[in-house]
Amino acid sequence: MQFFNFHRIVILVLVVAGLLGTVTESYAQPPLTYARKNAFRLQEDSLKTFAYNIVNLESASERFRSDSQFIRTLVRTLKQPNSFYYPFDSLMTISRLYAPDSSFRILTWEYQKDDFIFLQEGAIQMRTPDGSLKLFPLFDVSMFTGKPLDSVRSNRNWIGAIYYKIIEKNWQGKKYYTLLGFDDFSQTSNKKWMEVLTFGPEGQPQFGGPYFSFKDDSVRKGVQYRFSIEYKKEAGTRFNYDSSMDMVVYDHLVSEGDQPEKKDTYIPDGDFEAFQWKNGQWLHIQKQLFSYKLKDGQFPVEQKMLDDQGNLDESKLQEQSQKNIQNARKKPAPASPAKKPN
């Protein structure tokens, strides 16, 4: 069961939603009542068992059954009023990530179909003015597409990942939410994804767009709609947002054994690359340029919920979870988009 022990560690991701921007209007969202909290706790106990079994049961059929039970129970639970404000903190194998402006949260998890196929699953829950449920299920189609880097996608043809960070940016009056996520890609390699999420006029989620520019690279290449790195399964690889530098910083990878065609041989070499938000795009910064921005050769480290070995800091996790919920209660719920006349 060595695989499952490792797998259980890497997907323990409940991540911070930072406080960005200024609240311009008050929002009197009442806290959950004792009765409502108790009802959620009872459902959470069932969800916790199903979530654990999705990851840890040996039989593929049992994992599938647990996944189905988890989804049905989750949807039924989220239909209860004001479920958006209940954190589900005991679901340690499910990533529950609030947007910095508390307008939505994303729940993502992983289901191993067999020895070769790993599927990500999830849903976006929107915060609504009346506390009712507005949910967008996410359907992973990664295995069915050969060109994941050049397309805008909906929640129904999503490139799956377990998200661990949301970065909110603004450009010309529109909000852009950059998602960082982990993908247990294959038996021998992992991926990490960087994806921009926006919402259309009717409030529907849109993943991807011409947001990743490499125009300053020594070797020019076209704009990408999303970005990923693939690396050796056992390699500890940094890929995260550094708030002090306002950049997404990640390890520069090289092939171990000089086999560049084999992504499962790639490991960090001690250098770093980055993306910086400029004029509505993430501009790539090569390792040669990025090295000048570091002082004394030290990697800028922010406070993390997980270290590079996947170990969880429980005290930080609980503290930040409470901040996320308080932030959600304080901020105004987004107005529902006006319906088009028939």
Side-chain angles (χ1 to χ4, degrees):
M1 296 299 293
Q2 182 179 3
F3 165 78
F4 290 105
N5 292 334
F6 168 77
H7 181 72
R8 184 166 57 249
I9 291 173
V10 296
I11 66 172
L12 295 178
V13 283
L14 173 64
V15 194
V16 182
L19 301 178
L20 299 180
T22 302
V23 178
T24 56
E25 54 182 312
S26 62
Y27 178 53
Q29 169 63 38
L32 295 172
T33 64
Y34 175 81
R36 182 65 61 192
K37 285 183 180 178
N38 193 50
F40 281 129
R41 289 192 189 102
L42 291 175
Q43 293 295 323
E44 187 177 14
D45 286 342
S46 297
L47 286 168
K48 181 168 60 175
T49 299
F50 297 142
Y52 179 87
N53 289 341
I54 292 171
V55 175
N56 291 284
L57 292 181
E58 291 189 62
S59 167
S61 61
E62 291 177 330
R63 293 195 301 271
F64 175 78
R65 188 178 303 110
S66 296
D67 184 64
S68 299
Q69 291 171 320
F70 175 82
I71 292 172
R72 288 197 299 270
T73 305
L74 176 65
V75 173
R76 187 165 58 247
T77 303
L78 293 180
K79 285 182 178 179
Q80 298 182 53
N82 293 318
S83 65
F84 183 86
Y85 304 98
Y86 189 77
F88 298 98
D89 282 338
S90 70
L91 303 184
M92 301 307 296
T93 58
I94 308 297
S95 170
R96 307 165 312 282
L97 186 60
Y98 282 84
D101 62 2
S102 300
S103 60
F104 66 92
R105 67 175 171 182
I106 297 183
L107 296 88
T108 48
W109 64 94
E110 187 166 83
Y111 159 61
Q112 186 193 5
K113 186 175 180 181
D114 55 37
D115 289 342
F116 303 98
I117 297 178
F118 301 85
L119 294 176
Q120 278 74 45
E121 298 178 299
I124 299 175
Q125 183 181 13
M126 307 303 297
R127 184 157 61 90
T128 58
D130 61 357
S132 62
L133 179 62
K134 184 176 182 180
L135 194 69
F136 295 98
L138 303 177
F139 299 96
D140 183 9
V141 299
S142 303
M143 69 180 70
F144 304 115
T145 178
K147 296 182 178 180
L149 305 180
D150 63 356
S151 55
V152 176
R153 294 173 174 270
S154 72
N155 59 301
R156 296 197 168 273
N157 61 347
W158 171 60
I159 301 297
I162 303 171
Y163 295 125
Y164 56 86
K165 187 71 175 179
I166 301 181
I167 308 153
E168 182 185 337
K169 294 294 182 182
N170 293 272
W171 173 247
Q172 296 183 342
K174 184 174 181 178
K175 290 186 176 182
Y176 298 83
Y177 304 94
T178 300
L179 310 172
L180 304 182
F182 171 84
D183 179 5
D184 206 347
F185 183 64
S186 72
Q187 286 186 311
T188 57
S189 68
N190 294 329
K191 280 188 175 184
K192 288 184 179 177
W193 286 95
M194 187 173 175
E195 172 91 82
V196 175
L197 169 65
T198 57
F199 291 91
E202 301 298 321
Q204 70 277 15
Q206 295 179 340
F207 293 90
Y211 301 125
F212 296 90
S213 172
F214 300 85
K215 65 180 183 179
D216 289 347
D217 282 17
S218 55
V219 178
R220 293 285 186 92
K221 62 180 177 180
V223 173
Q224 290 182 190
Y225 280 52
R226 57 187 51 81
F227 177 79
S228 70
I229 59 172
E230 185 177 353
Y231 55 94
K232 185 177 179 178
K233 200 79 172 178
E234 297 80 13
T237 304
R238 297 180 179 91
F239 195 128
N240 215 332
Y241 175 68
D242 181 80
S243 57
S244 65
M245 301 181 71
D246 194 20
M247 292 182 182
V248 174
V249 182
Y250 64 96
D251 280 304
H252 179 259
L253 303 176
V254 295
S255 174
E256 183 182 42
D258 194 24
Q259 296 177 294
E261 73 283 357
K262 294 184 178 181
K263 294 295 185 180
D264 59 359
T265 67
Y266 276 63
I267 59 173
D269 68 352
D271 287 324
F272 300 97
E273 301 177 62
F275 282 99
Q276 186 172 35
W277 183 259
K278 286 187 177 182
N279 300 325
Q281 286 185 315
W282 285 104
L283 179 64
H284 181 241
I285 301 174
Q286 291 182 285
K287 67 173 186 176
Q288 295 88 346
L289 298 176
F290 179 70
S291 62
Y292 293 114
K293 299 180 181 292
L294 295 177
K295 295 180 180 180
D296 302 324
Q298 295 182 349
F299 181 78
V301 178
E302 63 178 343
Q303 192 177 45
K304 297 179 181 179
M305 298 297 104
L306 296 175
D307 61 23
D308 292 328
Q309 285 72 45
N311 298 314
L312 190 66
D313 188 323
E314 290 285 353
S315 62
K316 290 180 183 178
L317 187 67
Q318 294 297 330
E319 178 184 353
Q320 190 59 50
S321 177
Q322 290 303 314
K323 288 181 180 179
N324 289 347
I325 301 304
Q326 291 170 9
N327 183 38
R329 287 174 178 157
K330 291 178 181 177
K331 293 194 174 184
S336 300
K339 294 183 178 180
K340 293 182 178 180
N342 294 326

